[in-house]
Amino acid sequence: MKLWDKGISIDKKVEQFTVGNDREIDIHIAKYDVIASKAHAKMLHKIGILTTIELEQLLGGLEVLANEIEAGEFVIDDQFEDVHSKIEYELTATLGDVGKKIHTARSRNDQVLVACHLYYKENLSLVREKVKTLFDTLLSQAEVYKDKVLPGYTHLQVAMPSSFGLWFSAYAEQMIDDVFLIDAAIKTVDQNPLGSAAGYGSSFPIDREFTTKEMDFATLKYNVVAAQMGRGKNERTISVALGSLANTLARFAMDTCLYMSQNFGFISFPDELTTGSSIMPHKKNPDVFELIRGKCNKIQALQTEMVLITNNLPSGYHRDFQLLKENMIAAFEEIKDILDIYNYSIQQIIVKDVDINDEKYKYLFTVDNINTLVVEGQTFREAYQKIGGQVQDGTYVPDTSKKHTHVGSIHNLSLDKIQAKFPK
């Protein structure tokens, strides 16, 4: 059941090694192969390869498969190499010779390529939507807790006053930068590669503009060699975008774990969102956020993997490209779950009151003390030395009266401006 079968048996060990776990992976792109096959069939009819009756038969057969995929009933059996051979087999089993015509003017290479383009495009958009949901949640939390004091740290040492409003909205605005990269990745994959066949086009008079519109691509990848060279480059671009988002979420998760610890004690979560210890009954472990951190670090490693698989490959198709799908698809499924669980959990955060008069926080306000002296006429260097001397000799008294009024500071979060900045 191979699309390239010439009637010659292949060694079973070689077959097992080359197929790998494509069957399991290809379930994720089955829907998109059907979409591309429908567009391809319509194009073959347009150029006179298929009759109207044949087109209707193929579209009907593909719709049956689409419904099976949607219902979770579609299975790629062991005798098939991949989803593409399975779909063609099912069409042929149902429609006879008409089913065999679906492969006219295309190669398995551009079948895989266009299915991946469609999968990547849709899932990047889904990730973007989930980022926007978490973004909105964080800005909402920033508004709710804008007046809740949070010590700020540099080098993990007490530094300057901050707030939960500043903390929540900082990560919200960080995600805007991640969306810029996601949008760039969407633009990269929103190009139709169908028609590149094995990488050098077809002698059939195919209409690539037609399939581009039919599959709702923004444009097509005109040069057929460039289209095939997109394999690997698409994945490298996407892995940069997902890695950037994963970095933001991993750092946020680290903050969350840190702030939950008794040594900080700034936040907590309901018991049902935490886990316990098998021997320490007092434990409330932030396993959700620790797993987010670990999973996000794995996703950040994806870029290196994509680069090393494809680096310095010559133009044209190479079987190495088969290795791109598994961890790329896994990363998409993982990041979607991470965004969902983060949004679910962070809405239930318990923000505690921080006693700013606690001895360990007294130096949060040294910079404000210095600024007060500068306003009164001293140079910054003189004021710095004076407050520094007070810290050293134990006479320092914090000035907690200062307000930070500039845009984006603790008392002027500019949440409306951050909201408006999110790319439309």
Side-chain angles (χ1 to χ4, degrees):
M1 305 302 178
K2 301 175 180 64
L3 297 182
W4 50 271
D5 188 4
K6 297 184 290 289
I8 302 170
S9 297
I10 186 171
D11 187 290
K12 292 301 179 185
K13 286 185 180 290
V14 171
E15 180 178 20
Q16 185 176 1
F17 182 78
T18 54
V19 172
N21 58 350
D22 255 18
R23 300 180 191 94
E24 294 80 7
I25 299 165
D26 279 5
I27 288 294
H28 293 282
I29 62 169
K31 165 187 172 181
Y32 306 97
D33 191 75
V34 169
I35 291 170
S37 293
K38 286 181 177 180
H40 186 67
K42 291 177 182 178
M43 184 276 294
L44 291 177
H45 173 257
K46 182 175 184 290
I47 66 172
I49 300 293
L50 294 177
T51 67
T52 300
I53 293 174
E54 288 172 333
L55 173 62
E56 290 173 353
Q57 288 177 314
L58 282 170
L59 292 179
L62 288 166
E63 187 61 28
V64 169
L65 294 174
N67 292 334
E68 288 181 9
I69 293 166
E70 181 69 24
E73 298 168 355
F74 182 81
V75 177
I76 305 173
D77 311 285
D78 287 349
Q79 67 263 39
F80 301 103
E81 268 194 306
D82 51 32
V83 67
H84 317 292
S85 52
K86 166 71 172 180
I87 287 175
E88 185 170 323
Y89 171 83
E90 292 294 342
L91 290 174
T92 303
T94 304
L95 306 173
D97 287 346
V98 174
K100 297 177 182 178
K101 291 188 176 185
I102 193 64
H103 200 61
T104 306
R106 67 176 181 176
S107 162
R108 183 169 64 168
N109 290 342
D110 64 338
Q111 278 186 264
V112 176
L113 189 53
V114 71
C116 285
H117 270 256
L118 290 167
Y119 171 86
Y120 294 152
K121 179 183 172 183
E122 183 169 295
N123 278 273
L124 281 165
S125 295
L126 284 173
V127 169
R128 194 189 196 282
E129 289 172 13
K130 291 178 184 293
V131 169
K132 181 60 165 62
T133 298
L134 180 55
F135 171 85
D136 289 340
T137 295
L138 293 180
L139 285 190
S140 176
Q141 294 287 57
E143 177 63 34
V144 170
Y145 297 109
K146 63 184 178 183
D147 297 323
K148 283 278 193 177
V149 176
L150 175 68
Y153 292 81
T154 62
H155 308 274
L156 277 181
Q157 307 290 308
V158 168
M160 291 180 67
S162 182
S163 71
F164 280 96
L166 206 58
W167 182 59
F168 283 122
S169 57
Y171 280 105
E173 191 166 6
Q174 279 285 296
M175 288 195 296
I176 292 175
D177 296 339
D178 302 327
V179 170
F180 292 152
L181 294 176
I182 290 170
D183 285 346
I186 291 173
K187 194 167 186 178
T188 300
V189 299
D190 199 8
Q191 305 177 79
N192 177 25
L194 186 61
S196 58
Y200 299 96
S202 172
S203 58
F204 287 102
I206 57 176
D207 188 338
R208 299 186 65 211
E209 285 82 4
F210 176 86
T211 56
T212 298
K213 292 177 182 176
E214 193 68 27
M215 291 183 286
D216 197 30
F217 280 109
T219 185
L220 62 83
K221 201 79 168 182
Y222 290 95
N223 185 294
V224 291
V225 176
Q228 276 297 324
M229 289 174 71
R231 292 192 76 173
K233 189 163 191 178
N234 294 332
E235 286 78 7
R236 291 195 299 273
T237 302
I238 294 166
S239 63
V240 169
L242 296 186
S244 177
L245 174 60
N247 175 267
T248 300
L249 297 173
R251 295 185 69 182
F252 193 17
M254 180 63 224
D255 274 3
T256 305
C257 293
L258 200 66
Y259 293 171
M260 277 184 70
S261 75
Q262 291 88 339
N263 297 73
F264 288 81
F266 301 149
I267 60 174
S268 185
F269 287 88
D271 289 348
E272 55 268 26
L273 294 188
T274 63
T275 62
S277 162
S278 62
I279 64 170
M280 294 173 283
H282 67 281
K283 295 296 291 295
K284 284 182 61 174
N285 297 326
D287 283 19
V288 166
F289 301 100
E290 291 173 345
L291 286 170
I292 287 172
R293 184 176 59 199
K295 288 171 184 282
C296 284
N297 289 340
K298 279 181 62 181
I299 291 170
Q300 289 179 80
L302 187 65
Q303 181 187 357
T304 300
E305 180 182 332
M306 297 298 104
V307 168
L308 292 178
I309 289 173
T310 60
N311 201 34
N312 298 331
L313 287 179
S315 60
Y317 174 76
H318 311 279
R319 193 63 182 265
D320 311 52
F321 294 143
Q322 177 181 336
L323 305 178
L324 298 171
K325 286 189 296 183
E326 181 173 6
N327 287 347
M328 199 75 241
I329 290 172
F332 269 111
E333 301 307 312
E334 199 83 88
I335 199 73
K336 288 186 292 185
D337 286 345
I338 288 168
L339 288 164
D340 284 342
I341 195 66
Y342 221 133
N343 187 64
Y344 175 77
S345 300
I346 209 67
Q347 292 180 68
Q348 300 179 64
I349 193 170
I350 300 167
V351 173
K352 297 183 179 180
D353 292 324
V354 178
D355 182 6
I356 215 67
N357 296 314
D358 191 301
E359 181 69 16
K360 61 178 171 287
Y361 300 133
K362 68 183 294 185
Y363 297 129
L364 280 172
F365 301 95
T366 57
V367 177
D368 288 344
N369 283 72
I370 292 168
N371 292 349
T372 296
L373 294 177
V374 171
V375 170
E376 292 173 353
Q378 295 188 33
T379 66
F380 179 84
R381 189 54 52 205
E382 289 172 330
Y384 179 92
Q385 290 171 349
K386 180 175 182 178
I387 298 302
Q390 292 175 0
V391 169
Q392 292 298 319
D393 64 24
T395 61
Y396 167 76
V397 177
D399 176 6
T400 61
S401 64
K402 285 286 185 190
K403 293 291 182 182
H404 298 196
T405 58
H406 67 77
V407 168
S409 63
I410 184 174
H411 299 118
N412 185 4
L413 296 177
S414 307
L415 300 182
D416 57 334
K417 293 179 173 61
I418 296 173
Q419 182 75 63
K421 186 179 172 185
F422 195 96
K424 300 293 185 291

